[in-house]
């Protein structure tokens, strides 16, 4: 099966899962929420939506492996791995903020070859197939932004896995550069917005694979710049994620590396 065929099927799975997630979102009063850590939540919606995605992927691609945020990895025999985040932006989700997504990435031989980010609240589906470009609701995405950091908005990610002072240094550096920063508490949505020319870049010191692989591919296929990474290594350990429009990437990388550097 070609990556294009996989993408078409996974797109429909993403949308079906998004419908279920939105049903949960519209019933906040009955939503069961647990705390995994500081500012890290999981709801029954996360678990049930991931279960649905796994079921549909297994029906369509029974030989593929699956890695997801909420349930144990499932081995496969095809050499193809689906990486899923049932709800990226759970903190937004449980606080009735419509800024969350359903995310599916497809990985083969260390490369992300399919990327999908579906925003059910706004009816937007960002998609990419390696070598075939990126789209938003079927229309091509092309990063043609030549703004400098002082002229655009850089999205910033942060989680409890990293030292809070590093993100403080990053934000300070962006402001001193004359820029504007935003944090929308959904890494996948932030990456999608870079591909759509809404943000000029995104930087986070550490992300899990299910949060970033799809978005990195979408940005790259839209013409943005993404750090080279092995997708299998990201699945195993996660890692730094810095992307940007070509006009700002080098400077954003420089600022980010300085902000994230260990201090004695």
């Amino acid at each position: 099966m070609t990556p294009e065929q996989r993408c078409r099927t996974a797109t429909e799975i993403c949308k079906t899962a998004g419908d279920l997630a939105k049903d949960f979102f519209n019933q906040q009063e009955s939503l069961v929420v647990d705390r995994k850590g500081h500012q890290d939540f999981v709801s029954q919606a996360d678990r049930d939506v991931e279960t649905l995605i796994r079921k549909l992927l297994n029906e369509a691609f029974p030989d593929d492996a699956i890695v997801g945020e909420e349930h144990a990895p499932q081995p496969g025999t095809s050499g193809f791995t689906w990486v899923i985040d049932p709800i990226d932006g759970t903190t937004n989700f449980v606080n009735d903020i419509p800024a969350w997504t359903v995310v599916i990435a497809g990985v083969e031989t260390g490369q992300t070859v399919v990327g999908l980010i579906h925003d059910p609240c706004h009816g937007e589906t960002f998609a990419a197939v390696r070598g075939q470009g990126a789209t938003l609701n079927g229309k091509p995405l092309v990063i043609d932004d030549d703004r400098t950091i002082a002229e655009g908005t850089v999205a910033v990610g942060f989680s409890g896995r990293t030292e809070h002072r590093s993100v403080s240094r990053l934000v300070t550096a962006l402001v001193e550069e004359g820029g504007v920063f935003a944090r929308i508490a959904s890494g996948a949505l932030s990456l999608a917005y870079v591909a759509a020319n809404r943000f000029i870049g995104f930087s986070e010191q550490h992300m899990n694979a299910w949060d970033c692989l799809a978005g990195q591919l979408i940005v790259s296929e839209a013409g943005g710049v993404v750090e080279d990474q092995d997708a299998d290594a990201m699945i195993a350990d996660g890692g730094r994620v810095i992307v940007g429009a070509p006009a700002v990437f080098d400077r954003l990388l420089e600022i980010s590396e300085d902000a994230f550097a260990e201090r004695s």
Side-chain angles (χ1 to χ4, degrees):
M1 184 176 292
T2 66
E4 293 87 347
Q5 291 170 319
R6 289 180 182 276
C7 186
R8 283 194 293 271
T9 300
T11 298
E12 295 308 310
I13 291 173
C14 238
K15 291 179 178 179
T16 299
D19 290 342
L20 176 60
K22 194 172 181 182
D23 287 344
F24 277 109
F25 184 70
N26 290 331
Q27 300 176 51
Q28 291 285 328
E29 68 284 350
S30 60
L31 192 62
V32 178
V33 180
D34 299 319
R35 185 186 296 271
K36 293 195 289 186
H38 177 64
Q39 293 291 339
D40 191 6
F41 302 94
V42 61
S43 71
Q44 188 60 45
D46 294 83
R47 298 186 180 100
D48 287 0
V49 172
E50 181 165 324
T51 297
L52 175 62
I53 294 172
R54 285 171 175 265
K55 174 180 178 292
L56 296 175
L57 286 174
N58 276 321
E59 290 174 354
F61 313 107
D63 298 326
D64 293 353
I66 300 175
V67 175
E69 182 174 11
E70 307 303 339
H71 300 298
Q74 173 185 309
T77 58
S78 67
F80 196 98
T81 300
W82 295 102
V83 184
I84 57 179
D85 191 342
I87 298 174
D88 180 66
T90 299
T91 299
N92 290 337
F93 188 93
V94 302
N95 286 290
D96 204 19
I97 299 170
W100 52 271
T101 61
V102 179
V103 187
I104 299 179
V107 173
E108 191 171 35
T109 62
Q111 288 189 319
T112 306
V113 296
V114 173
L116 292 161
I117 299 173
H118 176 56
D119 174 359
C121 292
H122 299 97
E124 293 191 325
T125 303
F126 302 82
V129 174
R130 180 168 291 276
Q132 301 296 320
T135 60
L136 169 54
N137 290 348
K139 297 180 180 179
L141 284 172
V142 179
I143 295 177
D144 55 3
D145 201 326
D146 61 359
R147 290 175 293 174
T148 66
I149 287 177
E151 297 170 320
T153 300
V154 174
V156 173
F158 172 68
S159 77
R161 294 182 296 270
T162 55
E163 169 60 49
H164 70 274
R165 291 182 182 86
S166 62
V167 75
S168 297
R169 290 191 293 266
L170 175 61
V171 167
T172 299
L174 290 171
V175 172
E176 289 178 346
E177 190 93 356
V180 175
F181 69 92
R183 180 176 185 267
I184 59 174
S186 169
L189 195 59
S190 298
L191 290 165
Y193 283 3
V194 174
N197 293 300
R198 297 170 187 174
F199 293 145
I200 58 173
F202 172 82
S203 178
E204 183 165 352
Q205 189 172 5
H206 185 277
M207 296 180 76
N208 290 316
W210 43 78
D211 297 322
C212 66
L213 291 183
Q216 288 173 300
L217 179 65
I218 293 168
V219 169
S220 177
E221 288 296 322
V225 184
V226 178
E227 287 189 283
D228 289 333
Q229 290 169 323
D230 182 276
D232 291 332
M234 288 294 288
I235 292 171
D237 300 313
R240 185 177 76 182
V241 175
I242 302 169
V243 310
V248 303
F249 177 81
D250 288 343
R251 181 58 181 149
L252 180 58
L253 178 62
E254 183 180 14
I255 290 172
S256 299
E257 288 184 328
D258 180 66
F260 299 156
E262 292 187 10
R263 303 302 204 262
S264 57

